[in-house]
């Protein structure tokens, strides 16, 4: 069993604390005093809204995948030397679909980002109420960690794992597999998107376009998969916090 206080080391046999935590006196102040401004608030409404918007992101990605396939087929015909009005009309249609898909993805991502960050900050504060001493990053990084270059490659994952551990039942160690899978796909999709967009923007010939589109297609597929896994993460974490609050696992003074 993992240590109830630090959530990192194994608890001593027959106890709930590891040897290190057992040798360190616990703070005498109540949890709310250790984390000023931390109040428990229900994440259910925001969690459901976030899941819906993540679903919208996945739908926009699916639309983009269809546009990628159309563009790939048309550019392939152009590479093969196809000419005529029919090919020109298909090329124009592919361009229109591609532009519409880009607009849909951007709109869905912006709307989702706003709601997701509100949800993420709420569950981060709730996690401080559940477990004030098990967080490696300060509360502000729940927002800033997503926008700070370089550290945004791992800070949000670390914060998510701390929230995950704090939101589970005391003494129970939950698998991080779902969070790790989501984060891996998210990072892959970001890198693939940058590479694909750069290749597509530089394409001046049908052959270059034909070579660039598969990169964009891969980015859209991985982004859709990441969005679907993110839905599972959001719903699971929201349920964990809701169930823990219902069990009365927080001081009455901070349950609002």
């Amino acid at each position: 069993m993992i240590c109830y206080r630090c959530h990192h080391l194994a608890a001593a046999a027959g106890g709930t604390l590891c040897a290190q935590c057992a040798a360190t006196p616990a703070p005498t102040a109540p949890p709310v005093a250790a984390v000023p401004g931390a109040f428990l608030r229900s994440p259910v409404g925001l969690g459901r809204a976030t899941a819906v918007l993540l679903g919208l992101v996945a739908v926009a990605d699916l639309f983009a995948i269809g546009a990628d396939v159309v563009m790939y087929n048309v550019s392939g015909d152009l590479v093969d030397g196809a000419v005529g009005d029919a090919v020109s009309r298909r090329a124009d249609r592919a361009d229109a679909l591609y532009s519409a898909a880009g607009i849909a993805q951007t709109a869905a991502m912006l709307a989702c980002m706003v709601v997701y960050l509100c949800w993420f900050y709420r569950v981060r504060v709730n996690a401080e109420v559940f477990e004030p001493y098990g967080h490696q990053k300060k509360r502000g990084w729940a927002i800033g960690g997503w926008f700070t270059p370089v550290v945004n490659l791992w800070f949000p994952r670390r914060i998510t794992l701390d929230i995950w551990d704090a939101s589970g039942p005391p003494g129970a160690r939950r698998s991080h597999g779902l969070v790790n899978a989501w984060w891996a796909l998210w990072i892959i999709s970001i890198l693939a998107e940058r590479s694909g967009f750069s290749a597509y923007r530089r394409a001046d010939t049908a052959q270059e376009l034909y070579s660039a589109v598969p990169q964009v297609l891969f980015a859209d597929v991985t982004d859709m998969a990441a969005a679907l896994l993110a839905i599972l993460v959001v719903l699971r974490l929201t349920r964990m916090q809701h169930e823990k609050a219902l069990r009365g696992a927080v001081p009455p003074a901070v349950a609002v």
Side-chain angles (χ1 to χ4, degrees):
M1 182 175 66
I2 194 168
C3 176
Y4 174 70
R5 186 185 300 172
C6 69
H7 294 286
H8 292 294
L9 303 177
T16 60
L17 299 178
C18 64
Q20 181 177 341
C21 290
T24 304
T28 57
V32 68
V35 282
F39 298 98
L40 188 66
R41 300 178 64 189
S42 174
V44 174
L46 277 174
R48 290 173 179 170
T50 302
V52 169
L53 288 172
L54 283 168
L56 187 61
V57 169
V59 170
D61 286 334
L62 184 61
F63 176 39
I65 291 170
D68 295 338
V69 172
V70 172
M71 181 66 75
Y72 183 75
N73 290 335
V74 172
S75 60
D77 290 342
L78 293 174
V79 169
D80 292 337
V83 295
D85 293 340
V87 175
S88 296
R89 286 194 297 270
R90 289 175 57 208
D92 291 341
R93 178 172 176 268
D95 285 335
L97 281 175
Y98 201 85
S99 297
I103 294 172
Q105 285 179 301
T106 301
M109 181 60 70
L110 289 176
C112 182
M113 180 178 66
V114 172
V115 179
Y116 178 89
L117 289 177
C118 292
W119 169 83
F120 193 63
Y121 188 79
R122 178 167 295 187
V123 294
R124 172 61 177 80
V125 174
N126 286 349
E128 285 189 74
V129 177
F130 293 139
E131 175 49 75
Y133 313 108
H135 304 277
Q136 297 185 19
K137 309 301 177 186
K138 292 185 179 297
R139 190 187 306 171
W141 283 113
I143 303 297
W146 293 93
F147 300 101
T148 304
V150 182
V151 301
N152 59 5
L153 296 177
W154 75 87
F155 269 33
R157 172 189 170 273
R158 181 65 262 170
I159 295 169
T160 302
L161 292 179
D162 289 341
I163 297 171
W164 192 273
D165 291 339
S167 302
R173 181 176 180 83
R174 287 179 175 265
S175 170
H176 295 160
L178 178 59
V179 175
N180 289 333
W182 156 67
W183 190 250
L185 282 176
W186 169 249
I187 295 298
I188 291 171
S189 70
I190 290 176
L191 298 178
E193 181 182 5
R194 293 177 180 175
S195 175
F197 178 75
S198 178
Y200 184 85
R201 185 176 54 184
R202 293 194 309 265
D204 292 326
T205 66
Q207 181 60 58
E208 291 175 344
L209 183 63
Y210 186 69
S211 300
V213 171
Q215 299 180 50
V216 179
L217 177 60
F218 176 75
D220 289 332
V221 169
T222 54
D223 190 73
M224 183 177 69
L228 294 175
L229 284 184
I231 293 175
L232 298 180
V233 172
V234 169
L235 293 178
R236 182 83 60 84
L237 189 49
T238 298
R239 184 173 68 250
M240 287 164 58
Q241 290 203 344
H242 181 64
E243 292 176 349
K244 189 162 188 173
L246 291 179
R247 289 195 300 268
V250 295
V254 299
V256 297

